[in-house]
Amino acid sequence: MKKEIILTGDRPTGPLHLGHYVGSLKNRILLQDTCEQFVMIADIQALTDNFENPKKVHDNVMQVMYDYLSVGLDPKKTTFLLQSQLSALPELTMYYMNLVTVARLERNPTVKTEIKQKGMEKSIPAGFLCYPISQAADITAFKANLVPVGEDQLPMIEQTNEIVRSFNRLYKTDILVEAKGLVPQCARLSGMDGQAKMGKSLGNALYLSDSADLVAKKVKAMYTDPGHIRVEDPGKVEGNTVFEYLDAFAHDKVVVASLKEQYQRGGLGDMKVKNYLLEVLLEMLEPIRASRVLLEQNQDEVKKILFAGTQQAHEVTQKTLNEVKEVMHLIWK
Ligand code: TRP
């Protein structure tokens, strides 16, 4: 059987957090054993809403590489690449732009939410509005058929597949491939403040690179059940972020079940549950942080991994670009 091809990635606007870990990193770590996996640092896409701050995007490229490698993405199994160094991608984007209406872009739910979040309603930069097209270029350039991402990215894949179908139909070809999104069962992690989503811009994230002290501080301030005031009061487990995280990260389900039972009955204080969560999180994050320290000391090696992967990706993406140009009568000899 032919191996599935994965293209996935993240914007380098900051270090990665637990939401990324649950939503997509875990799947990528699993899938790298059986699939051909490309992981992209999407710096061009990051610029679409950080164009005033290119240095920030530049500096976060290496941070994201440290995150990837420290959680266990293995350069022997996964090819890493830097989007801005692959000129086939903006070129494909330009050709795909003809196949998408502005109205369709404005209806993209992910873009819509982000525009609201960033207060861009009055004047939307064209680059930002069009980033789903650039993401379609990313995915199709690798002929990826599988995209492991968080749930918020599904509209991007839908839009990619619309482009694939239009392109193949218009130019009477089958060179572009439709992709399937892969979202884990428990894909979304609430923010530490109890908001539905963990996000850098929401200020409620726990980063993979946070120090033990910072993790402790953030856990202490975490959202629980606002109605649970005295230790002896019965507390709610549903909608309680601390228990949500225990469900996501604690291995000992028996302990979690007994904590839940005690909490609901009354007589278990928030601090006790938080201390247990802290233990669980530190146990998980400690090896990641240790590995990160080593990686940071070997910045040149890490850069080499990224550049070598990008070189490999260059060949793959140029090949697709040539096929696209061929059917569009753009090859001149
Ligand atoms: N949109 C993704 C994010 O916001 C990043 C990304 C860019 C991506 N290109 C991609 C994800 C291709 C999956 C596939 O983090």
Side-chain angles (χ1 to χ4, degrees), residues 7-10 16 25 28-29 32 37-41 61 64-83 86 142 301-314:
L7 181 281
T8 181
D10 299 279
L16 301 182
L25 289 174
R28 298 175 192 171
I29 296 162
Q32 65 182 344
Q37 176 162 264
F38 295 92
V39 174
M40 161 183 289
I41 301 189
V61 168
V64 172
M65 269 309 276
Y66 297 141
D67 284 326
Y68 284 157
L69 296 173
S70 62
V71 293
L73 287 174
D74 177 350
K76 286 194 208 74
K77 300 173 181 167
T78 290
T79 306
F80 300 96
L81 49 123
L82 185 55
Q83 188 184 31
L86 296 166
F142 291 86
E301 286 303 306
V302 177
K303 247 190 215 155
K304 253 190 228 157
I305 292 171
L306 180 58
F307 292 171
T310 304
Q311 189 51 46
Q312 229 173 302
H314 178 74

Side-chain angles (χ1 to χ4, degrees), residues 7-11 40 42 45 131 135 138-139 147 149 153:
L7 181 281
T8 181
D10 299 279
R11 296 182 202 174
M40 161 183 289
Q45 189 178 111
Y131 93 72
Q135 189 156 336
D138 300 341
I139 295 170
V147 186
V149 277
Q153 293 294 305

